[in-house]
Amino acid sequence: MSDFQDLVSATVNAFRDRFGVDPIWLVAAPGRVNLIGEHIDYNDGFVMPMAIDRYVVIAGGPFDGAAANLYSVNLEDAAAIPIDADSRPEAMHWTNYVRGVIAISAANGLDVPGMNAVVNSNVPTGGGLSSSAALEVATATLLEAVTGTTMDPVEKALLSQQAEHEFAGVPCGIMDQFSSVLCKQNHVLLLDCRSQTFEQVPFINEDISVLITNSGVKHSLADGEYALRRKQCEDAAAALETGSLRDVTLEDLMGRKDDMDELVFRRGHHVITEIARTVSAAQAMKSGQWERLGQLMYESHESLSKDFEVSCKELDLLVDLAKKTEGVLGSRMTGGGFGGCTVSLVKTAQLDSIMTAIATGYSAATGIQPAMFATKPSEGAHALSMASTVS
Ligand code: ADP
Ligand code: MG
């Protein structure tokens, strides 16, 4: 059985154990990894994520009352939340993501009935692979199943993003929720964060794999620095007399370098070059130029580390080790930074030796054994039929 089928079966079994009946609805929504286009989603630019083959699965059944009785297998925690358009978040609780999607859907006029639901996941949490977006999108997908309605995919992603903003207090861009809703198997999503339009770019090459490596660290300055970067990007745009860094070229920026604060210049330099790299990366993928794509990933990391200063010594070390390892085409930090994961483009035939080389080098220097897994571009959120599950 595949990992995914195992996860689904375990979720169904957990539902039976908890509620004594079979679930009726079964849905899955994936985490994501961004191949290139980092710190760009809030700068009107392009990002290029793909769904990973790690999912949040929810099994649901009816409940006669205005509440959702939730249980997380991962956290071994049960909680009942009200089904109410006026429901507000509870301080730092995992059910806020679910609560947010339900409350916003109800406020939008969806008639949400009571339900029992078991949440289970193999998306690592807090590692930048967006388990929170997967949980929100899985909840939205559950609501579609429960109410027999279909949301417009973009509306569904935006509703999930709104839940993250208002119920988790995280002012994220649109990438995570769009990825979990819209990604397709064997494709990456070239997403224009300005127009919220997208293109599915085929990624079909058995010889190339995507390797995710978790640095195992998360430096606490991430939240404050994120807000600061957003501000510095606004400052860069203001210095260039534009509403958005998307609208200026590298030449425009270079022409104003001497008038600009050095730090603000570098922040703008990252954004402008990263938007261009992401467009080039999509071109490289379309034309099968995998070496070129890998090179762009290395350049992206360099820019994030030097110009944008959101890397850290552990992420830099992982990328340096990747560079020295035979069979790696490219590598970079992925996600907000200051820890979390790197994403690498590698030759499938050398996957085992690459993983060993990077893990050995990293643990020798840091004492941390990095969690690593290879993944492929996977299918976005979908409902599953109970008949497809193995008891
Ligand atoms: P990331 O999205 O990078 O994984 P976040 O901190 O944004 O990290 O979201 C992680 C949070 O999402 C967890 O702390 C938890 O509250 C919630 N979450 C994710 N998966 C589950 C799950 N399977 N069960 C319960 N809560 C979950
Ligand atoms: Mg998150």
Side-chain angles (χ1 to χ4, degrees):
M1 244 199 301
S2 72
D3 289 352
F4 182 69
Q5 282 170 326
D6 283 345
L7 177 71
V8 172
S9 300
T11 314
V12 169
N13 289 333
F15 188 95
R16 284 183 186 133
D17 288 348
R18 188 140 200 100
F19 297 110
V21 290
D22 278 352
I24 293 182
W25 308 292
L26 200 53
V27 297
R32 62 96 189 97
V33 66
N34 189 24
L35 287 185
I36 194 160
E38 211 64 74
H39 282 275
I40 292 304
D41 57 348
Y42 55 86
N43 275 303
D44 283 345
F46 292 94
V47 295
M48 201 168 86
M50 61 178 230
I52 58 176
D53 58 353
R54 301 279 184 122
Y55 287 82
V56 169
V57 171
I58 307 183
F63 168 70
D64 191 12
N69 301 305
L70 307 176
Y71 179 72
S72 165
V73 175
N74 307 90
L75 299 179
E76 297 181 12
D77 187 43
I81 58 169
I83 292 180
D84 177 357
D86 297 324
S87 154
R88 299 313 311 153
E90 260 176 34
M92 295 296 286
H93 201 262
W94 67 272
T95 54
N96 284 339
Y97 303 94
V98 179
R99 190 189 277 256
V101 172
I102 291 179
I104 296 164
S105 300
N108 289 349
L110 191 68
D111 190 9
V112 183
M115 66 187 87
N116 296 323
V118 166
V119 176
N120 194 8
S121 166
N122 60 3
V123 185
T125 53
L129 301 173
S130 238
S131 68
S132 60
L135 179 54
E136 290 145 8
V137 171
T139 303
T141 309
L142 178 69
L143 295 188
E144 290 179 302
V146 171
T147 58
T149 55
T150 306
M151 297 181 196
D152 170 75
V154 168
E155 294 299 322
K156 182 174 165 182
L158 292 173
L159 150 79
S160 301
Q161 182 204 23
Q162 192 185 342
E164 180 103 22
H165 286 183
E166 294 176 7
F167 284 73
V170 179
C172 59
I174 62 169
M175 172 169 66
D176 303 348
Q177 291 80 9
F178 269 66
S179 304
S180 192
V181 173
L182 287 156
C183 280
K184 292 272 165 255
Q185 194 172 16
N186 296 327
H187 291 78
V188 299
L189 190 75
L190 179 65
L191 176 62
D192 181 338
C193 298
R194 168 177 265 179
S195 62
Q196 301 183 347
T197 55
F198 51 88
E199 185 185 342
Q200 306 281 358
V201 180
F203 178 166
I204 308 171
N205 185 342
E206 290 294 315
D207 298 336
I208 305 285
S209 294
V210 172
L211 176 66
I212 294 171
T213 305
N214 195 329
S215 67
V217 299
K218 194 165 172 68
H219 298 294
S220 58
L221 65 168
D223 288 351
E225 291 291 322
Y226 179 78
L228 188 57
R229 289 303 172 282
R230 289 189 76 132
K231 168 79 172 61
Q232 290 165 339
C233 290
E234 285 167 18
D235 290 348
L240 294 165
E241 291 164 39
T242 177
S244 165
L245 291 174
R246 169 80 174 268
D247 294 327
V248 287
T249 63
L250 190 55
E251 290 67 39
D252 295 333
L253 177 75
M254 297 314 284
R256 300 293 287 275
K257 184 176 181 187
D258 295 341
D259 314 328
M260 283 175 78
D261 176 80
E262 193 268 341
L263 188 73
V264 170
F265 168 82
R266 282 194 285 124
R267 303 303 189 240
H269 191 263
H270 166 70
V271 172
I272 293 165
T273 58
E274 184 78 354
I275 292 173
R277 273 189 292 275
T278 305
V279 174
S280 302
Q283 288 301 335
M285 192 174 276
K286 284 180 199 165
S287 50
Q289 293 174 287
W290 301 96
E291 305 270 350
R292 166 95 181 118
L293 176 60
Q295 191 55 41
L296 289 162
M297 290 169 73
Y298 282 134
E299 287 171 18
S300 167
H301 185 80
E302 187 74 7
S303 178
L304 287 157
S305 181
K306 302 275 160 50
D307 278 344
F308 217 61
E309 294 179 282
V310 290
S311 186
C312 59
K313 65 179 191 324
E314 293 87 356
L315 291 169
D316 288 346
L317 173 63
L318 282 173
V319 172
D320 281 345
L321 288 165
K323 251 182 208 160
K324 290 180 192 141
T325 304
E326 172 69 29
V328 180
L329 303 178
S331 185
R332 55 182 288 277
M333 56 158 274
T334 185
F338 304 105
C341 295
T342 62
V343 59
S344 308
L345 199 66
V346 304
K347 293 189 179 160
T348 308
Q350 282 155 275
L351 196 53
D352 288 345
S353 60
I354 290 167
M355 286 168 70
T356 305
I358 295 175
T360 306
Y362 189 70
S363 62
T366 62
I368 301 168
Q369 193 63 38
M372 305 175 103
F373 65 95
T375 188
K376 50 185 191 294
S378 302
E379 188 66 21
H382 52 282
L384 302 156
S385 84
M386 272 296 289
S388 69
T389 65
V390 185
S391 311

